Structures are given as C-alpha cells and as structure tokens.
Amino acid sequence: WPWPLVWLLACAVVLAVDPWALLQAGFWLSFVAVGVLFATDTGANGEAPHAAGGLGLQRRAKAMLREQTIVTLALTPLSLLLFQQVSVVGLAANLVAIPWVTLVVTPLALLGLIAAPIWDVAGAAIALLARMLQMMAGWPGATVSVAAATVAVSAAGVLGGALLVMRLPWGARALGLPLLLPVLLWQAPRPAPGQFELLVADIGQGNAVLVRTATHSLIFDTGPRFGPDSDAGQLVLVPLLRALNERIDTVIVSHRDSDHSGGAEAVLKMQPQAHFVSSIEASHTLGKVRPIERCLAGQHWTWDGISFEILHPQAADFDNAPKPNAISCVLRIANGSHAALLVGDIEKAQEARLVAEVTALLAADVLLVPHHGSKTSSTPAFIDAVHPRFALVQAGYRNRFGHPAPPVVARYDERQITLVDSSHCGAMAWSSADAMALGCERDVQQRYWQHRLAPRANAALVAKKMRRAGDSEDEMVNAGIR
C-alpha cells in the first residue's frame, strides 16, 4: 500500500479503540514523527533501494543521524505547541537512547523470559540510561521555553516544521522558516506601564495568585500539596508560568500551611532567580531551597509605577502568634487609581488591628477573601474598610471546611459585593485597566466534561425572604443561611 494509506489506517484503528487519544500529546507526537519519517524516506516513496549487501555501518549511522535530525526538526513546533518548551539535547539523547534500548535493553528483556535473573541486568541497563539522560537534562540550556502562542500561529509553525524536512526543492522548504519564526518569537501580552493584573489560579483548596506588571511578576502563595510527589506547583503553576514564559521576580508565601506553601518548592526550583519572602521560619525545609526573607509590615517597593506594600505582620507578632494564620503576609498592590488586597489566612484579631492601624490602606477593588471564606474571618468592619468590587474565594469544590461559609457569603451579599469562587469560575482574571470586569476561565474556555454548577444563590436575599415567611432560626441554619 502507499504509505499515506498505511499511516491513516493506523490512525483510524487507534482512534476506533480509543477516541480520547486525540487529546493526548503522545498520539500527535508519535503519528507526526512516523508520518514525517515516511514522507522523507526514499524507500517509502518508491525510489530505488540501495545496492545489494545493504548499507555499511557508516552509512547506517548517517541514516540514523539523518532520521533523528528530521524528527527533531519536525517535532520542534509541535513540542512548543503542546509543552511550550523544546529539548535542545533531545537529538543527542535519542542518538544514545535508541541504540541502547534497541541493542541492549530489548534483547535482555526478551532473554529474561528464558532466565529471569537476566531481567535484573535489563533493569540495570535501563537505570544506567536513566542516569545518563537525567545528567543531560541538567545541562545548562538543555531546554528552550517560549510563551504559548495562539492556535493559528501554532498551526502555522507545525506546517513550517513539516515543510523544512519534506523532500521538496529547497526553495519550497525555505517557506517553512517564516511560518516557524512567529512560534519561536511569540510573547504573551503584558499589562501596560502603570497597570497590573491578577491571575487567580484554579488550584482547589488553597491560594495561588500571579501578579503581573509591565516588566515584573510576582507569585502570592503557591497552592496546596496533594501528596508526597504531587502539588499545585508542579501541576498548575509551573505549566502556567511556562505557558506565559514568565520570569518571576518575587515569590511570597503568606504562611506555612500546606494549602499556601505546598507548591513553593516546584516554583522556586523553576525560577532560580526569584526572591523568596514569607512568614515561614528560616529552619523550614523551604529554607534549603532558597533563603527566606521575613515579610514585615512597612516593606515597600515599586515596579513599573505599581506600588507593593506589606501591611502585616509586625515583627513582634512572630513571637506571640498563636498559629501560622496570625502571621500571614498581607500584600497591597495599587497604581493610584485601583488596588488589590491579598491577605492569606488572617482572622478576626488581625483584621481588627488592620482596621484600627491602616484603615486608609485597606480600600481595594479586589479582595482575596481571608481564609477562603472561613467564618473565623471577613468581619463586617473589615469588609466595610476594604469595600471591594470583587471578593475572590479560592476554595475546593465541596471542601470539608464548608468554605465559603454561608454567614460570610451573606455579609458580602448584603453589601452588594460580587463574591466569586473558583468552584464556579475556575481561574479568575482581573486587570486594573478594566477594573469593572472579572474574567472566569470556565466561561471563556468551556469544556464539555466540566460539571456545570448551579449559580450561587444570594444568601442575604434568601435569608430576608425566609424571615418574611416566618421560618424559624433552626430552619434557616438547616438551609445554610447562617
């Protein structure tokens, strides 16, 4: 059969068995690689085979080098599209790994069917290869990352990569270069000078906010740790930062609770230049990753016309704090016209002190709701002092804490403050340049497999209606109003 029919038949069989393969990076990488090899192979295109006796060792080595170079070039734009990065050492790694697996690992694994101890030798061969590849991955400049381009730019880049390796006249191949360049040079749009934006990541139960100015970026909290080898840093923040091609200047972890600090190690390792500020003690394990500078009220800096100021805690609080929540870092971001307040897990006592000492600095357009909407926080006096347009709650769907608590929701509703939670909204985006709007990722990019939650009821209005109807206090508690 002509190779395109064989290739398409293989695609059809795989998709008939597993239609979801279309959403897997491995499907596209594998079939594009094989398709390109078919398209560029002389034998597959019906050209005369080599003379009897086959290729010599030198010619075989040249053929393998050619094939690996072709695949590397062809998959570069696809890798950038799928992962926002490409391996610079991938070609060298494959030239080592493919012969090793083909000539050493596979024969040993098959011989293990005859004598099981040989499998131990095969395992040792794989371990040796893994150490070698890990060493290569650690070389400086082993990978190149770019921002995630638009779909149209990415598709053009994939076409450009295919043109470069096809068996076409060089004039036709050269057309692939202008198609490939926009992918390599793409930069994610940034706020204008004097403006800033917040991207409140969808990380479940915890806090994680990316703050961007015209030339600087900051991470406030890094989300939860899900297990020994899984956290929001690895699964959400690192891919997000890679997609935006962000260089983080400062990482602030408000306090040591794992739903705020769980992803810090992954973020700090990805961003070796980032300054680390936190209320976490210097002896914490994160101190081994990066020296920790204590956050203290009065710390202040300016980026691109945007003011950043720490409002809490005071130095004395570290000696008297009953629990980590009490020394959560509180960060105010402002440009003179609009402001945002990020408060970690402060509770009633800390809110009262902020209202008493720095009331003038609390007013903000956006408030990251204290302690995810816990009933231990969001006192009426604090909400009145901040009086935000948007109150953002980062809390897990049906979380065991009941966040945001119905009484807290009612307080915001009574003041006609728009309360938005990540369960309904997904990732939330706000910009000082368009302060009246809040973007919800679940609305911007809907996915058919996502559960659609019913709109959150206005707790204050429901409570008023129940009181008018004569419902008892117990009935209101059961209804989740108080």
Side-chain angles (χ1 to χ4, degrees):
W1 285 9
W3 74 262
L5 293 182
V6 177
W7 184 75
L8 289 172
L9 178 61
C11 288
V13 171
V14 169
L15 294 177
V17 175
D18 181 16
W20 286 88
L22 279 172
L23 299 178
Q24 298 171 6
F27 172 86
W28 293 101
L29 292 170
S30 297
F31 275 97
V32 169
V34 172
V36 167
L37 287 175
F38 267 133
T40 57
D41 181 64
T42 55
N45 286 282
E47 298 183 17
H50 293 280
L55 296 172
L57 182 61
Q58 184 178 3
R59 186 172 292 178
R60 288 182 183 275
K62 288 182 178 179
M64 186 178 75
L65 178 61
R66 173 183 173 275
E67 289 177 352
Q68 288 304 314
T69 302
I70 287 172
V71 169
T72 299
L73 288 174
L75 294 185
T76 292
L78 192 58
S79 298
L80 294 174
L81 170 63
L82 295 171
F83 309 116
Q84 289 78 56
Q85 63 176 350
V86 65
S87 173
V88 177
V89 300
L91 176 60
N94 280 334
L95 290 176
V96 173
I98 291 175
W100 186 259
V101 172
T102 302
L103 302 176
V104 179
V105 175
T106 300
L108 289 173
L110 294 174
L111 288 172
L113 295 171
I114 301 173
I118 299 179
W119 280 331
D120 294 331
V121 182
I126 292 174
L128 178 61
L129 176 63
R131 286 197 295 271
M132 189 181 305
L133 295 178
Q134 189 174 19
M135 178 190 69
M136 296 176 73
W139 288 350
T143 60
V144 173
S145 297
V146 298
T150 63
V151 174
V153 171
S154 300
V158 172
L159 177 60
L163 283 175
L164 284 173
V165 299
M166 295 293 285
R167 295 180 62 82
L168 298 170
W170 280 106
R173 292 191 190 188
L175 294 176
L177 288 175
L179 293 173
L180 193 57
L181 286 177
V183 178
L184 299 175
L185 301 177
W186 179 266
Q187 293 294 323
R190 298 196 67 87
Q195 304 292 344
F196 68 100
E197 65 182 25
L198 308 180
L199 179 55
V200 184
D202 187 6
I203 42 81
Q205 184 70 25
N207 280 160
V209 182
L210 172 62
V211 184
R212 305 170 77 221
T213 68
T215 61
H216 294 275
S217 299
L218 175 147
I219 288 282
F220 184 88
D221 282 342
T222 57
R225 178 174 293 279
F226 307 119
D229 300 310
S230 177
D231 58 67
Q234 300 173 33
L235 300 179
V236 180
L237 295 180
V238 166
L240 171 64
L241 297 176
R242 186 173 291 133
L244 296 174
N245 198 25
E246 285 292 335
R247 184 183 185 277
I248 300 299
D249 297 277
T250 302
V251 174
I252 297 179
V253 173
S254 62
H255 61 296
R256 65 173 298 157
D257 285 357
S258 63
D259 58 336
H260 296 254
S261 64
E265 182 173 350
V267 172
L268 291 170
K269 287 182 176 179
M270 180 209 181
Q271 302 282 339
Q273 77 291 331
H275 188 47
F276 186 26
V277 179
S278 180
S279 64
I280 295 174
E281 65 276 10
S283 60
H284 191 276
T285 54
L286 288 174
K288 299 177 182 178
V289 180
R290 193 75 41 83
I292 302 174
E293 179 182 341
R294 179 174 285 183
C295 64
L296 290 171
Q299 291 171 335
H300 180 275
W301 66 97
T302 301
W303 289 338
D304 305 314
I306 309 301
S307 171
F308 293 78
E309 185 171 0
I310 301 292
L311 304 183
H312 179 79
Q314 303 284 350
D317 295 334
F318 288 88
D319 298 324
N320 305 317
K323 54 184 177 179
N325 289 354
I327 53 174
S328 291
C329 307
V330 174
L331 176 67
R332 185 176 189 264
I333 310 159
N335 67 352
S337 300
H338 302 287
L341 194 63
L342 311 179
V343 299
D345 280 356
I346 60 170
E347 298 183 348
K348 295 177 181 178
Q350 292 77 51
E351 291 180 356
R353 195 170 84 179
L354 286 170
V355 171
E357 296 179 356
V358 291
T359 305
L361 296 177
L362 295 182
D365 299 85
V366 176
L367 170 67
L368 188 64
V369 173
H371 205 172
H372 321 286
S374 167
K375 59 186 178 182
T376 63
S377 307
S378 293
T379 57
F382 181 76
I383 298 175
D384 290 337
V386 180
H387 197 67
R389 179 176 289 112
F390 298 107
L392 311 182
V393 178
Q394 283 186 294
Y397 174 59
R398 288 187 174 178
N399 62 87
R400 63 190 178 93
F401 309 101
H403 297 158
V408 171
V409 173
R411 287 175 207 152
Y412 287 96
D413 286 343
E414 286 169 355
R415 291 160 176 79
Q416 298 183 336
I417 295 169
T418 302
L419 184 72
V420 184
D421 64 83
S422 51
S423 295
H424 288 82
C425 186
M428 297 170 262
W430 178 86
S431 172
S432 62
D434 188 11
M436 300 295 291
L438 180 76
C440 287
E441 191 69 13
R442 283 180 178 251
D443 294 331
V444 175
Q445 296 196 49
Q446 295 185 15
R447 298 290 187 266
Y448 74 85
W449 59 80
Q450 289 176 339
H451 176 52
R452 310 304 296 178
L453 296 177
R456 184 179 57 81
N458 186 307
L461 293 179
V462 174
K464 291 177 181 178
K465 289 179 181 179
M466 294 182 74
R467 288 193 183 98
R468 289 184 190 134
D471 289 326
S472 68
E473 292 293 312
D474 289 339
E475 287 171 324
M476 293 175 66
V477 170
N478 291 335
I481 302 302
R482 298 196 57 204

